[in-house]
Amino acid sequence: MKVVMTVLVRNEADILEANLAFHRNAGIDFFIVTDNRSTDATPDILRRWEARGLVRVIVEEDDTYAQGAWVTRMARLAATEHDATWVVNADADEFFLPRRGSIPDALATLPAGVGQVLASRVDFPATQESERLIASGVPFWRAMQVRDVTSTSSLGVPLPPKVVHRADPEVIVEQGNHAVRSPAWPAPPSGRSPFTVLHFPERCFAQLDSKIRLGGAAYARNTTLDPSVGSTWRALYEVQTAGGLRARYDAALPAEETLRAGIEAGSYVLDRRLATRLERLLPDEPTDRATIDRIRAIHAVGVVVGSDEVTAEPRLLEAWHAAFDADDPVTLVIDARGRPEEEIHGALLTEIQRVGLDADDAADVLVEAAAGGSLDRARVGCRILGRLAAQPSDGVAVTPGGRDEMRRAVLGGEPPNGGTLGNAEAEEIVDRAMSVEGHLTRRECRALVDLAAAVGRSHVVEIGSFRGRSTIALALGAPAHVSVIAVDPHEEFVGEHGGHFGPADRVAFFENLLREGVADRVRLINLPSVAAAAAVEGPVHLLWVDGDHSDAGVTADFHTWQRTLAPRATVAFHDAADPTTGPGRVAAEAVASGRYEFVDRVDKIVVVRRVD
């Protein structure tokens, strides 16, 4: 297999070297780059890569931003002159991250009949702090390490995905690189994306101002494109022409406290995957040590909780430097001198929440108490941030107690053995649930009843309720003191398997719950899952995931709700028996991570349990 990447650039010196280095390391064999009238150091970077035999440069002097035509030219050259098997059409601000292995490894998993595959994008927004850091010379990838969970354009519309396609001499790439056409594979793109695209469209105001000034004017000169094409650039160009771009940009920059609140609420997530790789690939980026320390402190590398203040702990920063490339966990150190046990526990829990370790960051809290009651370390599982190995602090003491006691005090305890139902009672519940329209088999419905019956306290959360079949099974199966929370926006939606859902389902949902006498047992949160998570305070002991079955949808649901899970919590995924589907992939990756263990499979339900 040979994978060729095409890139269209104009004045991308701040990001181009990082882009080429990252993708070369990820398995791209060759690059075809069209340089459209660059006046910065972009041509110098390209000449260095061209001299290494890795890049073919096409100089394009036209100034109408005919992206579709220019990228089509490169994509066809990849097929006809460079023996490409697959072609990745990228922008300089996009980093195609394979879900596992290299880019060729990811493409090798696709069936032979698939000609094109979607790649969803997530934005890393500029912030007040990143603006200051980049203006002082810090590389964007060091300064920008927080991303959206779900991204929209500056006009508020969802980001369209990119498309990766098989090499074809007749391919046509549409403007924006969001769609391709070829007579060789007329079928639409595969929805099973092996990539996430990390997107850095606005890195600082100077970069954005230049991009919109040049790109917006080029669009205005292009009379062959429909005016709706390039709507984001065109709209920002109008704002810029009216003198309002700077004010609009500054007003949108989140402050540090906004980012932290967003991380805790599930709208932002800390993501160091690009930074970790580029730290290794671009070791000579000129940034002074003090600035690096400041960046890492901002991004919650480690903290010490004192009686009166929270400060960055230099020892943790040094440990970070020593083990920058590892992948978990971050360390929190608690100053426990002279503080009562309850205050120590509260301080740890507060600090976990303050740094926003949730979603695809926080896995679990492991508190190890050494013999004699001294605190060795308090580790918060965090795959993205890097492995830290802090040494014990002198004089730090806690009330004597083992690891299990400390964990129970911090996290509210492991779920006890829950209630049980007799077979006849459980089957009666299944009969009642199956009378409601839905997609669960009888065996799957019984599995949910049994899982709910085993919950001893706190919450059962359901993501995706439809008309209430699974909701009724959970509500009637769970002990009376356990709350059942149903999460479903009941908005117009076409499911991954073609099902149609909408507001009419909300009416049927309430009618069914009222008929079965469980309306007072269930709290409906009529919001999308990611937004609803912010309204639920854990711990959640049973999470039933049966919402958006797309790869991106299941990933967002699972990662967002992880922060609410109790130790040893159970997670059940519907339609997860096939590991190539979104639910199946997420369930399999959860087990492969070592943070969850496989428990059971019932028809298309896969059950896993959190490992603590």
Side-chain angles (χ1 to χ4, degrees), residues 41 74 85 104 232 240 287 425 609:
M74 290 190 288
T85 310
T232 298
Q240 183 184 59
T287 303
E425 184 180 5
R609 181 178 294 118

Side-chain angles (χ1 to χ4, degrees), residues 120-185:
S120 60
R121 293 188 293 165
V122 289
D123 276 357
F124 286 68
T127 67
Q128 291 181 8
E129 184 66 19
S130 72
E131 176 74 7
R132 184 189 69 78
L133 290 168
I134 290 173
S136 69
V138 174
F140 78 95
W141 50 268
R142 277 193 176 134
M144 303 173 70
Q145 298 176 17
V146 174
R147 65 166 170 83
D148 300 329
V149 171
T150 303
S151 298
T152 61
S153 73
S154 59
L155 301 181
V157 298
L159 286 185
K162 288 303 181 82
V163 180
V164 178
H165 62 86
R166 291 190 187 273
D168 183 76
E170 299 182 53
V171 69
I172 298 174
V173 183
E174 304 289 357
Q175 188 86 2
N177 299 349
H178 304 302
V180 297
R181 291 181 284 125
S182 169
W185 19 269

Side-chain angles (χ1 to χ4, degrees), residues 63-212:
D63 200 7
T64 59
Y65 198 64
Q67 181 188 28
W70 300 340
V71 177
T72 294
R73 176 176 61 195
M74 290 190 288
R76 290 181 174 182
L77 287 172
T80 59
E81 298 186 16
H82 296 282
D83 300 319
T85 310
W86 283 90
V87 179
V88 181
N89 300 310
D91 294 336
D93 58 9
E94 295 171 339
F95 295 79
F96 284 69
L97 184 70
R99 296 195 181 278
R100 59 171 60 88
S102 67
I103 290 176
D105 290 339
L107 292 171
T109 66
L110 298 174
V114 173
Q116 50 180 317
V117 63
L118 298 176
S120 60
R121 293 188 293 165
V122 289
D123 276 357
F124 286 68
T127 67
Q128 291 181 8
E129 184 66 19
S130 72
E131 176 74 7
R132 184 189 69 78
L133 290 168
I134 290 173
S136 69
V138 174
F140 78 95
W141 50 268
R142 277 193 176 134
M144 303 173 70
Q145 298 176 17
V146 174
R147 65 166 170 83
D148 300 329
V149 171
T150 303
S151 298
T152 61
S153 73
S154 59
L155 301 181
V157 298
L159 286 185
K162 288 303 181 82
V163 180
V164 178
H165 62 86
R166 291 190 187 273
D168 183 76
E170 299 182 53
V171 69
I172 298 174
V173 183
E174 304 289 357
Q175 188 86 2
N177 299 349
H178 304 302
V180 297
R181 291 181 284 125
S182 169
W185 19 269
S190 168
R192 185 169 66 90
S193 175
F195 304 106
T196 297
V197 180
L198 310 182
H199 190 211
F200 297 80
E202 299 180 9
R203 301 180 289 282
C204 64
F205 179 73
Q207 170 263 328
L208 175 66
D209 187 56
S210 174
K211 179 171 77 171
I212 298 305

Side-chain angles (χ1 to χ4, degrees), residues 560-576:
T560 300
W561 283 88
Q562 275 193 102
R563 70 176 181 83
T564 68
L565 296 180
R568 304 293 293 170
T570 299
V571 183
F573 298 89
H574 195 218
D575 289 319

